[in-house]
Amino acid sequence: MQILKALGPTVARVSTTEALRAGVGALVGLGLTGLFLLSPHLDAGGGLFLIAPFGATSVLLFAVPNSPLAQPWSAIVGNTLAAVIGIAACLTVPDPVLRIALAVGLAITATILCRAVHPPAGAVAMTAAMSPEIARELGFWFALAPVAIGTTALVVLAALYARITGRRYPFRQFDDPSKHRTDDRNPTERLGLSENELTAILDRYSQSFNLGVEDLARMIGAAELQAAAQSSGPLTAQDIMSRGLVTVGPDTPLGAVADLFRQHRFTSLPVVTPDMVFLGVIFQMHLISQARDDALRLKRGYRPALRRLLDRDREKPIRAGDIMSVAGPRATTDTPIGALLPMMADGDVDAVPVLAYGKIVGIVTRTDLIAALARHAARSGGCQ
C-alpha cells in the first residue's frame, strides 16, 4: 500500500481556476510568440521558428512562476547556454548518441555552475545535438534565434500575464521593499532570520532549486501565523466584534462620510441599505486616495484637493457607493478569530465586517483583535 502511495501524485490539489489560468497563459504566450515573432514552421535560413522546448518553458513560466527554475535568468541564460553547448557538440562529435548525451550532460553542469538551471535547457541542448542540418545552416546563431529571442518573448509575456491575473512574476527578491514602500519587510515575513540564514536552510535540505528565499520567508511566516491562530483559543468573531455600528448608505455624500470619520475617529465605515444589507466598506484611505488623485489630476496641493473633493456635491456629486470596496474579506458570527488574523496581518484592511444572512451585525477591527489576543495572553500567563 505504501508503495502505491509513493507512486501516486504528490502535488497538492489546485483549483480548476488556477489550472485554467496556467493553461490559458501558455496558450496566449506560445500563440502570440508564434503569431508575431517565430514561425511554427522550420526556417533554417533566418532561425525564427518555434522549437519543442518552448512548450516545457511555458509550463514553468505560466504554471509555476514562483519556482527558482522559472525565473528570467534561469530561463533565458539556461536555454541560451544549452543551445551553444548543443551546437558545439553537434559540430564536433560525429556519433549521434555520444553527442546527444554529451550535450545534455554538459548543459546540466554549465547551467548549475551559472545558477541558471532550467529543465527545458536539457531539451534545448538535445534538440541542437539532434539537428545537424540546423547546426550547419545556423551555427551558433541558433542560440540567439530562435532560442534566446523566443525565450525572452515568453518571459516578457509571462510577466505581463502574471500582472493581469494577479500573480507576481518575476518573484520578489528578499530585499525588495514592503507593500508600504518602506525598508521594512511585510509583517508576516519578519522572522528574525536573515537572507543568509534562510539560504542556509534551503541548502541544508537541498531545496535551493525548488524554493526561493522570499517564498521560504512567506511560508515560515504563514506557518507562524497559523500556529498563533490555533493557540488563540475558541473565541469567535461574535465574541469580540463591535456591535454599536455607525454605517452609511450608498448615496451618502463624501462630506458626510468625512464628518463621521472625524467625529468617531474610525478608519472604516460599512455601507449598507436601509435594512442593513451589507454592500461594501469605505476605508479612510479611500477618501485620501480620491483626494490624492484629484490633486495629481489638477496639479494642486493635497489639502485644496481634499477640500474640493468634499465640496463637490454642488458640482458633480460623489457618493459613498462610488468609492466603497466590495471585494474585501468578510466573516460570520462563527468565524474563529484565528481565521481573522491572516485577513488583517498584512495591513490591506483594518476591519472585517461580520455578516448574518447578508446583513451586517458587527465589525471586527484590528483594535478588537489585538485586545482579544492580549486578554487571551494575559489569561494564559495567569494560569501558568
PDB file of all heavy atoms in Angstrom, residues 108-142:
ATOM      1  N   ILE A 108      23.642  20.533 -18.355  1.00  0.00           N
ATOM      2  CA  ILE A 108      23.240  20.479 -16.945  1.00  0.00           C
ATOM      3  C   ILE A 108      24.353  21.038 -16.062  1.00  0.00           C
ATOM      4  O   ILE A 108      24.110  21.875 -15.178  1.00  0.00           O
ATOM      5  CB  ILE A 108      22.910  19.025 -16.543  1.00  0.00           C
ATOM      6  CG1 ILE A 108      21.632  18.568 -17.250  1.00  0.00           C
ATOM      7  CG2 ILE A 108      22.752  18.914 -15.023  1.00  0.00           C
ATOM      8  CD1 ILE A 108      21.322  17.096 -17.072  1.00  0.00           C
ATOM      9  N   THR A 109      25.579  20.598 -16.303  1.00  0.00           N
ATOM     10  CA  THR A 109      26.707  21.069 -15.487  1.00  0.00           C
ATOM     11  C   THR A 109      26.889  22.578 -15.615  1.00  0.00           C
ATOM     12  O   THR A 109      27.045  23.293 -14.615  1.00  0.00           O
ATOM     13  CB  THR A 109      28.007  20.355 -15.913  1.00  0.00           C
ATOM     14  OG1 THR A 109      27.841  18.946 -15.760  1.00  0.00           O
ATOM     15  CG2 THR A 109      29.179  20.821 -15.059  1.00  0.00           C
ATOM     16  N   ALA A 110      26.845  23.078 -16.848  1.00  0.00           N
ATOM     17  CA  ALA A 110      27.087  24.504 -17.085  1.00  0.00           C
ATOM     18  C   ALA A 110      25.996  25.372 -16.479  1.00  0.00           C
ATOM     19  O   ALA A 110      26.274  26.423 -15.874  1.00  0.00           O
ATOM     20  CB  ALA A 110      27.208  24.767 -18.580  1.00  0.00           C
ATOM     21  N   THR A 111      24.743  24.966 -16.615  1.00  0.00           N
ATOM     22  CA  THR A 111      23.650  25.794 -16.072  1.00  0.00           C
ATOM     23  C   THR A 111      23.659  25.799 -14.545  1.00  0.00           C
ATOM     24  O   THR A 111      23.319  26.811 -13.925  1.00  0.00           O
ATOM     25  CB  THR A 111      22.284  25.322 -16.594  1.00  0.00           C
ATOM     26  OG1 THR A 111      22.115  23.925 -16.319  1.00  0.00           O
ATOM     27  CG2 THR A 111      22.156  25.566 -18.091  1.00  0.00           C
ATOM     28  N   ILE A 112      24.050  24.689 -13.929  1.00  0.00           N
ATOM     29  CA  ILE A 112      24.165  24.676 -12.470  1.00  0.00           C
ATOM     30  C   ILE A 112      25.265  25.632 -12.027  1.00  0.00           C
ATOM     31  O   ILE A 112      25.085  26.426 -11.089  1.00  0.00           O
ATOM     32  CB  ILE A 112      24.455  23.247 -11.955  1.00  0.00           C
ATOM     33  CG1 ILE A 112      23.213  22.367 -12.115  1.00  0.00           C
ATOM     34  CG2 ILE A 112      24.876  23.278 -10.478  1.00  0.00           C
ATOM     35  CD1 ILE A 112      23.424  20.916 -11.720  1.00  0.00           C
ATOM     36  N   LEU A 113      26.412  25.583 -12.706  1.00  0.00           N
ATOM     37  CA  LEU A 113      27.529  26.459 -12.335  1.00  0.00           C
ATOM     38  C   LEU A 113      27.187  27.931 -12.552  1.00  0.00           C
ATOM     39  O   LEU A 113      27.684  28.800 -11.837  1.00  0.00           O
ATOM     40  CB  LEU A 113      28.781  26.084 -13.140  1.00  0.00           C
ATOM     41  CG  LEU A 113      29.406  24.723 -12.797  1.00  0.00           C
ATOM     42  CD1 LEU A 113      30.557  24.421 -13.750  1.00  0.00           C
ATOM     43  CD2 LEU A 113      29.897  24.709 -11.349  1.00  0.00           C
ATOM     44  N   CYS A 114      26.339  28.216 -13.528  1.00  0.00           N
ATOM     45  CA  CYS A 114      25.944  29.603 -13.818  1.00  0.00           C
ATOM     46  C   CYS A 114      24.676  30.013 -13.061  1.00  0.00           C
ATOM     47  O   CYS A 114      24.136  31.096 -13.317  1.00  0.00           O
ATOM     48  CB  CYS A 114      25.716  29.781 -15.324  1.00  0.00           C
ATOM     49  SG  CYS A 114      27.208  29.656 -16.311  1.00  0.00           S
ATOM     50  N   ARG A 115      24.216  29.165 -12.162  1.00  0.00           N
ATOM     51  CA  ARG A 115      22.988  29.425 -11.395  1.00  0.00           C
ATOM     52  C   ARG A 115      21.821  29.716 -12.330  1.00  0.00           C
ATOM     53  O   ARG A 115      21.012  30.618 -12.101  1.00  0.00           O
ATOM     54  CB  ARG A 115      23.209  30.585 -10.423  1.00  0.00           C
ATOM     55  CG  ARG A 115      24.309  30.328  -9.401  1.00  0.00           C
ATOM     56  CD  ARG A 115      24.687  31.579  -8.634  1.00  0.00           C
ATOM     57  NE  ARG A 115      23.574  32.069  -7.848  1.00  0.00           N
ATOM     58  CZ  ARG A 115      23.581  33.238  -7.207  1.00  0.00           C
ATOM     59  NH1 ARG A 115      24.655  34.017  -7.271  1.00  0.00           N
ATOM     60  NH2 ARG A 115      22.545  33.634  -6.501  1.00  0.00           N
ATOM     61  N   ALA A 116      21.750  28.944 -13.405  1.00  0.00           N
ATOM     62  CA  ALA A 116      20.720  29.147 -14.423  1.00  0.00           C
ATOM     63  C   ALA A 116      20.032  27.830 -14.774  1.00  0.00           C
ATOM     64  O   ALA A 116      19.748  27.561 -15.944  1.00  0.00           O
ATOM     65  CB  ALA A 116      21.335  29.778 -15.673  1.00  0.00           C
ATOM     66  N   VAL A 117      19.752  27.013 -13.752  1.00  0.00           N
ATOM     67  CA  VAL A 117      19.107  25.730 -14.012  1.00  0.00           C
ATOM     68  C   VAL A 117      17.683  25.960 -14.519  1.00  0.00           C
ATOM     69  O   VAL A 117      16.893  26.666 -13.883  1.00  0.00           O
ATOM     70  CB  VAL A 117      19.078  24.863 -12.736  1.00  0.00           C
ATOM     71  CG1 VAL A 117      18.334  23.554 -13.000  1.00  0.00           C
ATOM     72  CG2 VAL A 117      20.488  24.576 -12.260  1.00  0.00           C
ATOM     73  N   HIS A 118      17.388  25.349 -15.654  1.00  0.00           N
ATOM     74  CA  HIS A 118      16.076  25.480 -16.281  1.00  0.00           C
ATOM     75  C   HIS A 118      15.834  24.156 -17.007  1.00  0.00           C
ATOM     76  O   HIS A 118      16.490  23.893 -18.024  1.00  0.00           O
ATOM     77  CB  HIS A 118      16.090  26.663 -17.261  1.00  0.00           C
ATOM     78  CG  HIS A 118      14.761  26.964 -17.883  1.00  0.00           C
ATOM     79  ND1 HIS A 118      13.667  27.376 -17.157  1.00  0.00           N
ATOM     80  CD2 HIS A 118      14.358  26.933 -19.185  1.00  0.00           C
ATOM     81  CE1 HIS A 118      12.640  27.591 -17.977  1.00  0.00           C
ATOM     82  NE2 HIS A 118      13.043  27.317 -19.205  1.00  0.00           N
ATOM     83  N   PRO A 119      14.965  23.280 -16.500  1.00  0.00           N
ATOM     84  CA  PRO A 119      14.825  21.939 -17.078  1.00  0.00           C
ATOM     85  C   PRO A 119      14.681  21.885 -18.598  1.00  0.00           C
ATOM     86  O   PRO A 119      15.299  21.025 -19.230  1.00  0.00           O
ATOM     87  CB  PRO A 119      13.582  21.386 -16.364  1.00  0.00           C
ATOM     88  CG  PRO A 119      13.614  22.058 -15.038  1.00  0.00           C
ATOM     89  CD  PRO A 119      14.145  23.446 -15.295  1.00  0.00           C
ATOM     90  N   PRO A 120      13.914  22.796 -19.224  1.00  0.00           N
ATOM     91  CA  PRO A 120      13.836  22.742 -20.683  1.00  0.00           C
ATOM     92  C   PRO A 120      15.180  22.948 -21.385  1.00  0.00           C
ATOM     93  O   PRO A 120      15.310  22.639 -22.574  1.00  0.00           O
ATOM     94  CB  PRO A 120      12.863  23.885 -21.029  1.00  0.00           C
ATOM     95  CG  PRO A 120      12.030  24.040 -19.805  1.00  0.00           C
ATOM     96  CD  PRO A 120      12.958  23.778 -18.663  1.00  0.00           C
ATOM     97  N   ALA A 121      16.192  23.477 -20.664  1.00  0.00           N
ATOM     98  CA  ALA A 121      17.511  23.666 -21.282  1.00  0.00           C
ATOM     99  C   ALA A 121      18.098  22.334 -21.740  1.00  0.00           C
ATOM    100  O   ALA A 121      18.807  22.266 -22.755  1.00  0.00           O
ATOM    101  CB  ALA A 121      18.457  24.360 -20.307  1.00  0.00           C
ATOM    102  N   GLY A 122      17.822  21.265 -21.001  1.00  0.00           N
ATOM    103  CA  GLY A 122      18.281  19.950 -21.437  1.00  0.00           C
ATOM    104  C   GLY A 122      17.682  19.571 -22.775  1.00  0.00           C
ATOM    105  O   GLY A 122      18.363  18.993 -23.642  1.00  0.00           O
ATOM    106  N   ALA A 123      16.397  19.911 -22.954  1.00  0.00           N
ATOM    107  CA  ALA A 123      15.744  19.626 -24.234  1.00  0.00           C
ATOM    108  C   ALA A 123      16.291  20.516 -25.347  1.00  0.00           C
ATOM    109  O   ALA A 123      16.376  20.096 -26.502  1.00  0.00           O
ATOM    110  CB  ALA A 123      14.237  19.815 -24.096  1.00  0.00           C
ATOM    111  N   VAL A 124      16.673  21.770 -24.994  1.00  0.00           N
ATOM    112  CA  VAL A 124      17.280  22.660 -25.999  1.00  0.00           C
ATOM    113  C   VAL A 124      18.604  22.075 -26.485  1.00  0.00           C
ATOM    114  O   VAL A 124      18.879  22.013 -27.700  1.00  0.00           O
ATOM    115  CB  VAL A 124      17.500  24.067 -25.414  1.00  0.00           C
ATOM    116  CG1 VAL A 124      18.328  24.918 -26.377  1.00  0.00           C
ATOM    117  CG2 VAL A 124      16.165  24.749 -25.138  1.00  0.00           C
ATOM    118  N   ALA A 125      19.453  21.626 -25.542  1.00  0.00           N
ATOM    119  CA  ALA A 125      20.736  21.020 -25.914  1.00  0.00           C
ATOM    120  C   ALA A 125      20.528  19.776 -26.768  1.00  0.00           C
ATOM    121  O   ALA A 125      21.235  19.547 -27.762  1.00  0.00           O
ATOM    122  CB  ALA A 125      21.528  20.680 -24.655  1.00  0.00           C
ATOM    123  N   MET A 126      19.545  18.975 -26.405  1.00  0.00           N
ATOM    124  CA  MET A 126      19.258  17.747 -27.154  1.00  0.00           C
ATOM    125  C   MET A 126      18.734  18.059 -28.545  1.00  0.00           C
ATOM    126  O   MET A 126      19.112  17.408 -29.533  1.00  0.00           O
ATOM    127  CB  MET A 126      18.237  16.908 -26.371  1.00  0.00           C
ATOM    128  CG  MET A 126      18.007  15.528 -26.927  1.00  0.00           C
ATOM    129  SD  MET A 126      16.993  14.546 -25.777  1.00  0.00           S
ATOM    130  CE  MET A 126      16.911  13.005 -26.706  1.00  0.00           C
ATOM    131  N   THR A 127      17.877  19.072 -28.642  1.00  0.00           N
ATOM    132  CA  THR A 127      17.345  19.479 -29.948  1.00  0.00           C
ATOM    133  C   THR A 127      18.476  19.909 -30.882  1.00  0.00           C
ATOM    134  O   THR A 127      18.515  19.530 -32.058  1.00  0.00           O
ATOM    135  CB  THR A 127      16.339  20.632 -29.779  1.00  0.00           C
ATOM    136  OG1 THR A 127      15.245  20.191 -28.982  1.00  0.00           O
ATOM    137  CG2 THR A 127      15.829  21.120 -31.118  1.00  0.00           C
ATOM    138  N   ALA A 128      19.399  20.723 -30.350  1.00  0.00           N
ATOM    139  CA  ALA A 128      20.531  21.169 -31.176  1.00  0.00           C
ATOM    140  C   ALA A 128      21.418  19.998 -31.577  1.00  0.00           C
ATOM    141  O   ALA A 128      21.856  19.896 -32.732  1.00  0.00           O
ATOM    142  CB  ALA A 128      21.341  22.212 -30.402  1.00  0.00           C
ATOM    143  N   ALA A 129      21.683  19.092 -30.630  1.00  0.00           N
ATOM    144  CA  ALA A 129      22.564  17.960 -30.921  1.00  0.00           C
ATOM    145  C   ALA A 129      21.934  16.982 -31.908  1.00  0.00           C
ATOM    146  O   ALA A 129      22.651  16.270 -32.623  1.00  0.00           O
ATOM    147  CB  ALA A 129      22.914  17.242 -29.616  1.00  0.00           C
ATOM    148  N   MET A 130      20.622  16.938 -31.966  1.00  0.00           N
ATOM    149  CA  MET A 130      19.923  16.022 -32.884  1.00  0.00           C
ATOM    150  C   MET A 130      19.678  16.634 -34.258  1.00  0.00           C
ATOM    151  O   MET A 130      19.096  15.973 -35.121  1.00  0.00           O
ATOM    152  CB  MET A 130      18.570  15.625 -32.274  1.00  0.00           C
ATOM    153  CG  MET A 130      18.659  14.741 -31.061  1.00  0.00           C
ATOM    154  SD  MET A 130      17.029  14.428 -30.326  1.00  0.00           S
ATOM    155  CE  MET A 130      16.190  13.576 -31.665  1.00  0.00           C
ATOM    156  N   SER A 131      20.096  17.868 -34.472  1.00  0.00           N
ATOM    157  CA  SER A 131      19.744  18.570 -35.714  1.00  0.00           C
ATOM    158  C   SER A 131      20.993  19.063 -36.438  1.00  0.00           C
ATOM    159  O   SER A 131      21.276  20.278 -36.455  1.00  0.00           O
ATOM    160  CB  SER A 131      18.818  19.744 -35.404  1.00  0.00           C
ATOM    161  OG  SER A 131      17.729  19.341 -34.605  1.00  0.00           O
ATOM    162  N   PRO A 132      21.762  18.164 -37.048  1.00  0.00           N
ATOM    163  CA  PRO A 132      22.989  18.597 -37.739  1.00  0.00           C
ATOM    164  C   PRO A 132      22.729  19.569 -38.881  1.00  0.00           C
ATOM    165  O   PRO A 132      23.558  20.444 -39.165  1.00  0.00           O
ATOM    166  CB  PRO A 132      23.595  17.279 -38.242  1.00  0.00           C
ATOM    167  CG  PRO A 132      22.510  16.263 -38.139  1.00  0.00           C
ATOM    168  CD  PRO A 132      21.605  16.712 -37.067  1.00  0.00           C
ATOM    169  N   GLU A 133      21.554  19.435 -39.537  1.00  0.00           N
ATOM    170  CA  GLU A 133      21.255  20.370 -40.645  1.00  0.00           C
ATOM    171  C   GLU A 133      21.078  21.792 -40.121  1.00  0.00           C
ATOM    172  O   GLU A 133      21.504  22.768 -40.752  1.00  0.00           O
ATOM    173  CB  GLU A 133      20.022  19.911 -41.428  1.00  0.00           C
ATOM    174  CG  GLU A 133      18.692  19.961 -40.692  1.00  0.00           C
ATOM    175  CD  GLU A 133      18.486  18.803 -39.699  1.00  0.00           C
ATOM    176  OE1 GLU A 133      19.351  17.923 -39.632  1.00  0.00           O
ATOM    177  OE2 GLU A 133      17.443  18.811 -39.021  1.00  0.00           O
ATOM    178  N   ILE A 134      20.446  21.935 -38.957  1.00  0.00           N
ATOM    179  CA  ILE A 134      20.295  23.263 -38.354  1.00  0.00           C
ATOM    180  C   ILE A 134      21.651  23.799 -37.920  1.00  0.00           C
ATOM    181  O   ILE A 134      21.961  24.982 -38.080  1.00  0.00           O
ATOM    182  CB  ILE A 134      19.314  23.208 -37.166  1.00  0.00           C
ATOM    183  CG1 ILE A 134      17.892  22.954 -37.672  1.00  0.00           C
ATOM    184  CG2 ILE A 134      19.358  24.502 -36.362  1.00  0.00           C
ATOM    185  CD1 ILE A 134      16.855  22.832 -36.574  1.00  0.00           C
ATOM    186  N   ALA A 135      22.473  22.908 -37.369  1.00  0.00           N
ATOM    187  CA  ALA A 135      23.812  23.324 -36.935  1.00  0.00           C
ATOM    188  C   ALA A 135      24.630  23.829 -38.120  1.00  0.00           C
ATOM    189  O   ALA A 135      25.383  24.808 -38.010  1.00  0.00           O
ATOM    190  CB  ALA A 135      24.526  22.159 -36.253  1.00  0.00           C
ATOM    191  N   ARG A 136      24.497  23.173 -39.275  1.00  0.00           N
ATOM    192  CA  ARG A 136      25.238  23.619 -40.467  1.00  0.00           C
ATOM    193  C   ARG A 136      24.703  24.942 -40.988  1.00  0.00           C
ATOM    194  O   ARG A 136      25.461  25.822 -41.393  1.00  0.00           O
ATOM    195  CB  ARG A 136      25.165  22.543 -41.559  1.00  0.00           C
ATOM    196  CG  ARG A 136      26.072  21.345 -41.322  1.00  0.00           C
ATOM    197  CD  ARG A 136      26.182  20.498 -42.584  1.00  0.00           C
ATOM    198  NE  ARG A 136      24.875  19.978 -42.998  1.00  0.00           N
ATOM    199  CZ  ARG A 136      24.377  18.814 -42.584  1.00  0.00           C
ATOM    200  NH1 ARG A 136      25.077  18.054 -41.740  1.00  0.00           N
ATOM    201  NH2 ARG A 136      23.189  18.405 -42.993  1.00  0.00           N
ATOM    202  N   GLU A 137      23.371  25.081 -41.006  1.00  0.00           N
ATOM    203  CA  GLU A 137      22.748  26.287 -41.566  1.00  0.00           C
ATOM    204  C   GLU A 137      22.927  27.514 -40.668  1.00  0.00           C
ATOM    205  O   GLU A 137      23.287  28.594 -41.129  1.00  0.00           O
ATOM    206  CB  GLU A 137      21.250  26.048 -41.782  1.00  0.00           C
ATOM    207  CG  GLU A 137      20.916  25.131 -42.935  1.00  0.00           C
ATOM    208  CD  GLU A 137      21.049  25.810 -44.276  1.00  0.00           C
ATOM    209  OE1 GLU A 137      21.058  27.058 -44.324  1.00  0.00           O
ATOM    210  OE2 GLU A 137      21.161  25.095 -45.288  1.00  0.00           O
ATOM    211  N   LEU A 138      22.682  27.320 -39.374  1.00  0.00           N
ATOM    212  CA  LEU A 138      22.659  28.467 -38.455  1.00  0.00           C
ATOM    213  C   LEU A 138      23.912  28.588 -37.600  1.00  0.00           C
ATOM    214  O   LEU A 138      24.271  29.689 -37.173  1.00  0.00           O
ATOM    215  CB  LEU A 138      21.436  28.367 -37.528  1.00  0.00           C
ATOM    216  CG  LEU A 138      20.061  28.490 -38.193  1.00  0.00           C
ATOM    217  CD1 LEU A 138      18.960  28.265 -37.166  1.00  0.00           C
ATOM    218  CD2 LEU A 138      19.885  29.850 -38.849  1.00  0.00           C
ATOM    219  N   GLY A 139      24.553  27.483 -37.305  1.00  0.00           N
ATOM    220  CA  GLY A 139      25.702  27.532 -36.410  1.00  0.00           C
ATOM    221  C   GLY A 139      25.278  28.054 -35.030  1.00  0.00           C
ATOM    222  O   GLY A 139      24.168  27.792 -34.544  1.00  0.00           O
ATOM    223  N   PHE A 140      26.148  28.849 -34.433  1.00  0.00           N
ATOM    224  CA  PHE A 140      25.848  29.364 -33.087  1.00  0.00           C
ATOM    225  C   PHE A 140      24.780  30.460 -33.104  1.00  0.00           C
ATOM    226  O   PHE A 140      24.319  30.890 -32.042  1.00  0.00           O
ATOM    227  CB  PHE A 140      27.134  29.885 -32.436  1.00  0.00           C
ATOM    228  CG  PHE A 140      28.094  28.779 -32.084  1.00  0.00           C
ATOM    229  CD1 PHE A 140      29.222  28.556 -32.856  1.00  0.00           C
ATOM    230  CD2 PHE A 140      27.850  27.943 -31.015  1.00  0.00           C
ATOM    231  CE1 PHE A 140      30.089  27.532 -32.545  1.00  0.00           C
ATOM    232  CE2 PHE A 140      28.710  26.919 -30.688  1.00  0.00           C
ATOM    233  CZ  PHE A 140      29.843  26.696 -31.458  1.00  0.00           C
ATOM    234  N   TRP A 141      24.382  30.901 -34.300  1.00  0.00           N
ATOM    235  CA  TRP A 141      23.262  31.838 -34.407  1.00  0.00           C
ATOM    236  C   TRP A 141      21.985  31.231 -33.821  1.00  0.00           C
ATOM    237  O   TRP A 141      21.099  31.936 -33.345  1.00  0.00           O
ATOM    238  CB  TRP A 141      23.044  32.217 -35.865  1.00  0.00           C
ATOM    239  CG  TRP A 141      21.939  33.212 -36.086  1.00  0.00           C
ATOM    240  CD1 TRP A 141      20.665  32.961 -36.460  1.00  0.00           C
ATOM    241  CD2 TRP A 141      22.023  34.632 -35.908  1.00  0.00           C
ATOM    242  NE1 TRP A 141      19.928  34.107 -36.544  1.00  0.00           N
ATOM    243  CE2 TRP A 141      20.743  35.165 -36.209  1.00  0.00           C
ATOM    244  CE3 TRP A 141      23.046  35.500 -35.535  1.00  0.00           C
ATOM    245  CZ2 TRP A 141      20.476  36.515 -36.137  1.00  0.00           C
ATOM    246  CZ3 TRP A 141      22.766  36.855 -35.478  1.00  0.00           C
ATOM    247  CH2 TRP A 141      21.499  37.352 -35.776  1.00  0.00           C
ATOM    248  N   PHE A 142      21.909  29.882 -33.825  1.00  0.00           N
ATOM    249  CA  PHE A 142      20.753  29.173 -33.282  1.00  0.00           C
ATOM    250  C   PHE A 142      20.513  29.552 -31.812  1.00  0.00           C
ATOM    251  O   PHE A 142      19.374  29.608 -31.347  1.00  0.00           O
ATOM    252  CB  PHE A 142      20.991  27.662 -33.402  1.00  0.00           C
ATOM    253  CG  PHE A 142      19.940  26.803 -32.751  1.00  0.00           C
ATOM    254  CD1 PHE A 142      18.711  26.580 -33.358  1.00  0.00           C
ATOM    255  CD2 PHE A 142      20.179  26.193 -31.520  1.00  0.00           C
ATOM    256  CE1 PHE A 142      17.746  25.781 -32.756  1.00  0.00           C
ATOM    257  CE2 PHE A 142      19.227  25.397 -30.910  1.00  0.00           C
ATOM    258  CZ  PHE A 142      18.007  25.189 -31.532  1.00  0.00           C
TER     259      PHE A 142
END
